[in-house]
Amino acid sequence: MFPDNGGGPRAEGSLPGQFPTVRMRRLRYHPGVRRLVQTVRLHPGRWIQPLFVHDKGAEKKPIASMPGQFQLSPDHLVEEAEQAMELGLGGVILFGIPSRKDESGCDALDENGVICRAVRRIKQAVPDLLTVTDLCFCEYTDHGHCGRLGYAGTQPTVDNDATLDLLGRQAVLHARAGADVIAPSGMMDGMVAAIRGALDAAGFIHVPIMSYSAKYAGPFYGPFRDAAESAPQFGDRRSYQMDPAAAAEQALREVELDLAEGADIVMVKPALAYLDVIRQVRDRFPGVPLAAYNVSGEYSMVMAAAAAGWIDGPATIREILTSIHRAGADIIITYWAKEAARWVSGIDGGRLGS
Ligand code: PBG
């Protein structure tokens, strides 16, 4: 009835070490054996929850394109931070949505701006929660680009070198407010060196930099830009974020440069469409802490399919997180961090939207 069940006579001509001597399924019959030979274990301590904080009043505003995610008031942010701590998450990464945006992104350079106040609130309420700040200008500028505008020839784009000094100032403000890790996401050349220099000069030699080293341009950030109200008002980000069709070695060069400039943790982003890049970075730079950003578009696709009943959300999410770790990421920034932490620690049975 089950032809491969009985370990029958060795097929004529088969080599030692092959079927039926070798049966890969022997590692799969017993759940305990399967568990024993796993190399990927999901653990909330390796996940970072992104949180959006606004300064437009006391409301917790749902983000339409990211069901289950919110623009949080500072009070709600503290609630989320407390939960993140209780669930044993690796940390949170904060994105600020200021009430006023202007051409130079002033709120990002104000010690009483939305993000500095948010960091102070979290550090007062939950001092032990690892608090990472995303360091960029696109959430603060009215044009939605990631730094000070300038020209490359006749093309309006971000002025790389003029932005570096601003990033250094922003980083020092975040560190002063209490940020534990600074995560520059703007893909400016030389940004890690500029930020390292500024932090060191201000006495923050101990604050690590998690660089968005290989960040690709594309539609996967669409829902985030709704969430952070940060879509570029003209053009796109292709003159600073990477081209998906570029050789993967370009990502390795980006990582190499960031490490030379002093990055402590490097990142590949998005995750799912770039598992090959994650693997190549892992192999080329063993021992370097590697993060992957499981971005908003990846989140929203699964949430939409799960809501429609087309896919089993929790099972899919587990497989996604597993695949990103298996590709080589030590750390995953994921909108599912809290929820998946509840499942892996058995707090609920794996429903979405708890
Ligand atoms: C800021 C930033 C972005 C994301 C993280 N930091 C947006 C962008 O580059 O347009 C995207 C995160 C996500 O899509 O989940 N530059």
Side-chain angles (χ1 to χ4, degrees):
M1 202 168 42
F2 299 111
D4 66 347
N5 198 25
R10 177 172 294 181
E12 193 71 37
S14 74
L15 297 169
Q18 292 187 346
F19 179 81
T21 311
V22 173
R23 290 176 179 274
M24 295 307 291
R25 290 184 61 195
R26 277 197 290 261
L27 296 173
R28 298 179 196 138
Y29 290 111
H30 193 297
V33 175
R34 288 202 296 272
R35 198 169 54 230
L36 201 61
V37 302
Q38 286 174 347
T39 60
V40 177
R41 284 277 161 73
L42 298 183
H43 192 279
R46 294 190 173 280
W47 303 332
I48 295 176
Q49 175 77 48
L51 296 173
F52 299 100
V53 56
H54 71 80
D55 64 359
K56 299 175 219 168
E59 248 183 285
K60 176 173 171 177
K61 304 184 207 171
I63 299 163
S65 57
M66 299 182 72
Q69 305 297 315
F70 299 85
Q71 293 182 342
L72 303 161
S73 72
D75 285 345
H76 290 111
L77 177 74
V78 167
E79 265 173 37
E80 292 284 327
E82 284 165 350
Q83 288 172 18
M85 188 74 207
E86 274 164 30
L87 289 165
L89 295 190
V92 295
I93 182 166
L94 304 185
F95 297 93
I97 310 156
S99 46
R100 276 183 312 108
K101 303 191 186 220
D102 53 31
E103 191 180 340
S104 52
C106 283
D107 195 85
L109 296 172
D110 180 348
E111 65 177 349
N112 289 314
V114 60
I115 204 75
C116 288
R117 279 185 286 130
V119 173
R120 286 197 292 269
R121 280 293 302 273
I122 289 187
K123 285 285 131 186
Q124 267 164 18
V126 204
D128 294 336
L129 177 68
L130 192 84
T131 303
V132 184
T133 52
D134 180 87
L135 193 82
C136 196
F137 278 91
C138 61
E139 297 121 71
Y140 304 94
T141 52
D142 52 13
H143 46 74
H145 280 285
C146 298
R148 173 162 293 176
L149 290 186
Y151 286 90
T154 54
Q155 185 201 6
T157 182
V158 176
D159 180 335
N160 193 90
D161 296 10
T163 301
L164 294 181
D165 172 54
L166 302 176
L167 289 172
R169 284 166 54 196
Q170 199 186 7
V172 170
L173 288 171
H174 289 194
R176 260 190 212 129
D180 299 303
V181 178
I182 306 288
S185 64
M187 289 298 284
M188 296 297 120
D189 289 324
M191 68 181 182
V192 174
I195 292 165
R196 187 71 273 158
L199 287 173
D200 290 356
F204 294 107
I205 58 160
H206 59 286
V207 174
I209 296 175
M210 175 163 73
S211 180
Y212 288 66
S213 303
K215 173 173 175 178
Y216 287 85
F220 279 105
Y221 312 144
F224 172 97
R225 291 176 191 170
D226 283 349
E229 300 167 9
S230 65
Q233 296 305 300
F234 65 88
D236 55 37
R237 303 209 204 289
R238 288 181 191 275
S239 74
Y240 40 104
Q241 298 179 354
M242 289 178 64
D243 180 351
E249 286 74 14
Q250 196 180 109
L252 300 177
R253 291 184 70 196
E254 289 280 2
V255 167
E256 190 172 24
L257 285 166
D258 277 3
L259 291 171
E261 290 177 28
D264 302 281
I265 302 172
V266 297
M267 193 198 299
V268 173
K269 174 188 172 189
L272 281 186
Y274 298 91
L275 292 175
D276 60 322
V277 176
I278 295 173
R279 170 47 54 189
Q280 290 191 46
V281 172
R282 175 72 298 148
D283 289 346
R284 179 72 68 88
F285 303 99
V288 169
L290 173 58
Y293 200 137
N294 177 209
V295 298
S296 57
E298 299 172 299
Y299 174 84
S300 300
M301 288 191 299
V302 173
M303 296 303 279
W310 297 336
I311 203 167
D312 175 340
T316 305
I317 293 160
R318 276 176 202 260
E319 188 167 339
I320 286 173
L321 296 175
T322 300
S323 74
I324 299 169
H325 280 312
R326 196 189 58 239
D330 304 305
I331 302 159
I332 306 178
I333 302 178
T334 175
Y335 299 95
W336 289 305
K338 269 180 45 187
E339 203 139 30
R342 292 198 184 97
W343 309 332
V344 301
S345 49
I347 294 176
D348 71 30
R351 284 167 295 111
L352 271 177
S354 47

